[in-house]
Structure formats: structure tokens, C-alpha cells
Amino acid sequence: MAQKRFRKALWLQTANEQVEAHILSEREVNDALEIWVNDLDGKTEEELVAMGVEVRSEWLN
């Protein structure tokens, strides 16, 4: 069975929901994309845990 991987598109979906709910700003989303989200895209859950990254299950596929 294939390992679950972090998907930028899934993260972006939840981030956009938070922008609509006024929890995050567009700038915060763009900053996150530049700072860490793009780097995590495609990494396995195991890799993320080893890096000390806490990831929500809805961001994995």
C-alpha cells in the first residue's frame, strides 16, 4: 500500500476555507506557500514526522 503524502492542493483547500472565514489572510497563505508548503509537497507522512512537522490528516493523500 502506498504511503500517504502531503498534498499542497489539499492544504490550499483548507487554507482558502480559513481565508473565507477570516481566520487567515491571503498574505499568510502566500507566505506559508513560499516558506514551507511548497517544500513539503509530495513528502510522505513518515518523512514529515522525521522532520518534526505536525500535519493534519486532511492534507495527506
Side-chain angles (χ1 to χ4, degrees), residues 3 6 8 10 13 15 17-19 21 23 33 38 42 47 51 60:
Q3 290 187 359
F6 180 87
K8 175 181 162 180
L10 295 174
Q13 182 179 0
E17 290 169 1
Q18 291 180 346
V19 168
I23 297 168
L33 286 167
N38 288 325
E47 289 173 309
M51 294 169 62
L60 302 170

mmCIF file of all heavy atoms in Angstrom, residues 3 6 8 10 13 15 17-19 21 23 33 38 42 47 51 60:
data_model
loop_
_atom_site.group_PDB
_atom_site.id
_atom_site.type_symbol
_atom_site.label_atom_id
_atom_site.label_comp_id
_atom_site.label_asym_id
_atom_site.label_seq_id
_atom_site.Cartn_x
_atom_site.Cartn_y
_atom_site.Cartn_z
ATOM 1 N N GLN A 3 2.263 4.932 0.658
ATOM 2 C CA GLN A 3 2.245 5.821 1.817
ATOM 3 C C GLN A 3 1.500 7.103 1.473
ATOM 4 O O GLN A 3 1.543 7.572 0.335
ATOM 5 C CB GLN A 3 3.670 6.167 2.230
ATOM 6 C CG GLN A 3 4.424 5.035 2.824
ATOM 7 C CD GLN A 3 5.771 5.506 3.373
ATOM 8 O OE1 GLN A 3 6.126 6.667 3.288
ATOM 9 N NE2 GLN A 3 6.517 4.582 3.934
ATOM 10 N N PHE A 6 1.934 14.391 1.676
ATOM 11 C CA PHE A 6 1.417 15.741 1.829
ATOM 12 C C PHE A 6 1.098 16.291 0.444
ATOM 13 O O PHE A 6 1.897 16.185 -0.481
ATOM 14 C CB PHE A 6 2.477 16.633 2.502
ATOM 15 C CG PHE A 6 2.030 18.057 2.694
ATOM 16 C CD1 PHE A 6 1.326 18.425 3.825
ATOM 17 C CD2 PHE A 6 2.313 19.024 1.747
ATOM 18 C CE1 PHE A 6 0.923 19.747 4.018
ATOM 19 C CE2 PHE A 6 1.916 20.341 1.916
ATOM 20 C CZ PHE A 6 1.214 20.697 3.063
ATOM 21 N N LYS A 8 -0.042 19.717 -1.502
ATOM 22 C CA LYS A 8 -0.195 21.173 -1.457
ATOM 23 C C LYS A 8 -1.633 21.577 -1.779
ATOM 24 O O LYS A 8 -2.193 22.457 -1.138
ATOM 25 C CB LYS A 8 0.784 21.790 -2.457
ATOM 26 C CG LYS A 8 0.676 23.274 -2.630
ATOM 27 C CD LYS A 8 1.692 23.727 -3.651
ATOM 28 C CE LYS A 8 1.386 25.073 -4.207
ATOM 29 N NZ LYS A 8 2.387 25.486 -5.199
ATOM 30 N N LEU A 10 -4.402 20.009 -1.208
ATOM 31 C CA LEU A 10 -5.288 19.758 -0.071
ATOM 32 C C LEU A 10 -5.075 20.811 1.012
ATOM 33 O O LEU A 10 -6.028 21.286 1.631
ATOM 34 C CB LEU A 10 -5.053 18.354 0.487
ATOM 35 C CG LEU A 10 -5.412 17.209 -0.457
ATOM 36 C CD1 LEU A 10 -5.001 15.869 0.151
ATOM 37 C CD2 LEU A 10 -6.898 17.220 -0.792
ATOM 38 N N GLN A 13 -6.725 24.014 -0.091
ATOM 39 C CA GLN A 13 -8.177 23.964 0.069
ATOM 40 C C GLN A 13 -8.577 24.392 1.488
ATOM 41 O O GLN A 13 -9.465 25.227 1.662
ATOM 42 C CB GLN A 13 -8.681 22.557 -0.217
ATOM 43 C CG GLN A 13 -10.179 22.401 -0.136
ATOM 44 C CD GLN A 13 -10.627 20.984 -0.462
ATOM 45 O OE1 GLN A 13 -9.830 20.104 -0.759
ATOM 46 N NE2 GLN A 13 -11.915 20.773 -0.411
ATOM 47 N N ALA A 15 -6.701 26.087 3.603
ATOM 48 C CA ALA A 15 -6.245 27.468 3.803
ATOM 49 C C ALA A 15 -7.243 28.447 3.204
ATOM 50 O O ALA A 15 -7.570 29.466 3.823
ATOM 51 C CB ALA A 15 -4.864 27.661 3.190
ATOM 52 N N GLU A 17 -10.420 27.995 2.793
ATOM 53 C CA GLU A 17 -11.597 27.988 3.665
ATOM 54 C C GLU A 17 -11.353 28.908 4.857
ATOM 55 O O GLU A 17 -12.260 29.630 5.291
ATOM 56 C CB GLU A 17 -11.906 26.572 4.145
ATOM 57 C CG GLU A 17 -12.429 25.665 3.053
ATOM 58 C CD GLU A 17 -12.489 24.191 3.461
ATOM 59 O OE1 GLU A 17 -12.144 23.854 4.620
ATOM 60 O OE2 GLU A 17 -12.871 23.370 2.610
ATOM 61 N N GLN A 18 -10.136 28.899 5.383
ATOM 62 C CA GLN A 18 -9.808 29.754 6.521
ATOM 63 C C GLN A 18 -9.741 31.229 6.113
ATOM 64 O O GLN A 18 -10.061 32.106 6.915
ATOM 65 C CB GLN A 18 -8.508 29.300 7.168
ATOM 66 C CG GLN A 18 -8.674 27.962 7.869
ATOM 67 C CD GLN A 18 -7.393 27.481 8.514
ATOM 68 O OE1 GLN A 18 -6.309 27.992 8.257
ATOM 69 N NE2 GLN A 18 -7.517 26.484 9.366
ATOM 70 N N VAL A 19 -9.347 31.508 4.886
ATOM 71 C CA VAL A 19 -9.361 32.891 4.389
ATOM 72 C C VAL A 19 -10.806 33.381 4.314
ATOM 73 O O VAL A 19 -11.127 34.488 4.762
ATOM 74 C CB VAL A 19 -8.662 33.002 3.013
ATOM 75 C CG1 VAL A 19 -8.935 34.356 2.373
ATOM 76 C CG2 VAL A 19 -7.166 32.767 3.153
ATOM 77 N N ALA A 21 -13.256 32.393 6.054
ATOM 78 C CA ALA A 21 -13.772 32.528 7.417
ATOM 79 C C ALA A 21 -13.047 33.633 8.193
ATOM 80 O O ALA A 21 -13.297 33.811 9.382
ATOM 81 C CB ALA A 21 -13.644 31.201 8.152
ATOM 82 N N ILE A 23 -10.006 33.724 9.162
ATOM 83 C CA ILE A 23 -9.061 33.181 10.133
ATOM 84 C C ILE A 23 -7.634 33.469 9.667
ATOM 85 O O ILE A 23 -6.772 33.806 10.469
ATOM 86 C CB ILE A 23 -9.282 31.665 10.321
ATOM 87 C CG1 ILE A 23 -10.675 31.420 10.900
ATOM 88 C CG2 ILE A 23 -8.195 31.051 11.189
ATOM 89 C CD1 ILE A 23 -11.131 29.984 10.876
ATOM 90 N N LEU A 33 3.024 29.346 1.646
ATOM 91 C CA LEU A 33 3.391 28.651 0.405
ATOM 92 C C LEU A 33 4.876 28.832 0.112
ATOM 93 O O LEU A 33 5.574 27.875 -0.206
ATOM 94 C CB LEU A 33 2.554 29.173 -0.771
ATOM 95 C CG LEU A 33 1.102 28.713 -0.806
ATOM 96 C CD1 LEU A 33 0.315 29.532 -1.814
ATOM 97 C CD2 LEU A 33 1.013 27.236 -1.121
ATOM 98 N N ASN A 38 5.407 24.620 -0.145
ATOM 99 C CA ASN A 38 5.996 24.102 -1.388
ATOM 100 C C ASN A 38 7.079 23.060 -1.107
ATOM 101 O O ASN A 38 7.213 22.084 -1.853
ATOM 102 C CB ASN A 38 6.559 25.240 -2.239
ATOM 103 C CG ASN A 38 5.465 26.074 -2.865
ATOM 104 O OD1 ASN A 38 4.415 25.581 -3.247
ATOM 105 N ND2 ASN A 38 5.706 27.369 -2.970
ATOM 106 N N GLY A 42 4.464 16.512 -1.556
ATOM 107 C CA GLY A 42 4.916 15.211 -2.027
ATOM 108 C C GLY A 42 5.681 14.385 -1.013
ATOM 109 O O GLY A 42 5.940 13.202 -1.239
ATOM 110 N N GLU A 47 8.277 10.942 6.397
ATOM 111 C CA GLU A 47 9.302 11.978 6.240
ATOM 112 C C GLU A 47 8.959 13.212 7.067
ATOM 113 O O GLU A 47 9.831 13.818 7.700
ATOM 114 C CB GLU A 47 9.445 12.372 4.765
ATOM 115 C CG GLU A 47 10.079 11.316 3.901
ATOM 116 C CD GLU A 47 10.051 11.683 2.426
ATOM 117 O OE1 GLU A 47 8.968 12.045 1.905
ATOM 118 O OE2 GLU A 47 11.123 11.612 1.795
ATOM 119 N N MET A 51 10.925 14.971 10.262
ATOM 120 C CA MET A 51 11.328 16.374 10.221
ATOM 121 C C MET A 51 10.745 17.163 11.390
ATOM 122 O O MET A 51 11.060 18.339 11.571
ATOM 123 C CB MET A 51 10.845 17.023 8.911
ATOM 124 C CG MET A 51 11.486 16.481 7.667
ATOM 125 S SD MET A 51 10.650 17.054 6.150
ATOM 126 C CE MET A 51 10.880 18.811 6.247
ATOM 127 N N LEU A 60 -3.146 14.979 3.688
ATOM 128 C CA LEU A 60 -2.453 13.795 3.169
ATOM 129 C C LEU A 60 -3.368 13.016 2.237
ATOM 130 O O LEU A 60 -4.559 12.906 2.454
ATOM 131 C CB LEU A 60 -2.013 12.889 4.324
ATOM 132 C CG LEU A 60 -1.101 13.531 5.357
ATOM 133 C CD1 LEU A 60 -0.946 12.599 6.551
ATOM 134 C CD2 LEU A 60 0.253 13.869 4.772
#
